[in-house]
Amino acid sequence: MAELVMADFEIPCKELACNPMFGDLRATLATYCHMKSVPYTLVADPESDLDCAKRMGLETELDTEFETLSIEFPTNDRLSELQTFYISQCSDMHSQYNEAVSSLASQVCDMEGNYDVYTYELVCISSYYDQQHCQLAERVKASLSLLRASLTTPTVLPSSKNPMTTKASRYLSRQAVHILQEWYDANKDSPYPCNEVKEELAEKAGVNFKQVKAWFANKRNRTCNTKPKRNATS
């Protein structure tokens, strides 16, 4: 960033170069760029409240969409991969934000007690990461829309002489989801049903063992309830 800014000032216009304030401005800008690994006040629009509100709104929309799609398509690998990617990216951004705030806090002494500068830069940091988060959320939201379109497009299955041998549907009925949700709500402290319980739930819900296993895996991931198993066998 510093090299880019300095390059822009290599050949200034004559009128600007003759201005007595030009040298001071150039020196101040260069010092600031060298001091900051990422000069947030140069790349972020400090409208923290608006950015934060937009980010929270997008987060809510994505959480709802992930929840809905996971219920409709509990065994879809692409959906799980997209959700894992989103959670991972959010975690990385949160870590980077904390590092930036910690770095700013360590420079308070260099600001000679000027807390107005500290507050302004803190707002810029928050706004910058809110904007980055919004961009990520919008890309993931667009990917979810494409995924939903591909999953809901009707497909023509090959005919079978024996309908009884047709592969089980990958979609769970509302009744099946209700049965699995009841067990999950009653066992939130350790939501890891053993194989015997999975078989019982599958029979009761009218689905197969693999669907029950996938539903609980997705449910634990969506609710961030992936605690170590307690006397349970997956």
Side-chain angles (χ1 to χ4, degrees), residues 77-96:
D77 292 335
R78 287 182 295 170
L79 178 61
S80 298
E81 290 172 1
L82 184 58
Q83 187 173 28
T84 300
F85 167 79
Y86 175 64
I87 294 174
S88 174
Q89 291 297 306
C90 288
S91 178
D92 289 345
M93 286 186 182
H94 184 67
S95 297
Q96 293 170 9

Side-chain angles (χ1 to χ4, degrees), residues 41 48 97 100-101 104 117-127:
T41 53
S48 183
Y97 168 79
V101 172
L104 177 63
V117 174
Y118 171 81
T119 300
Y120 177 73
E121 293 204 15
L122 182 60
V123 170
C124 287
I125 291 174
S126 298
S127 181

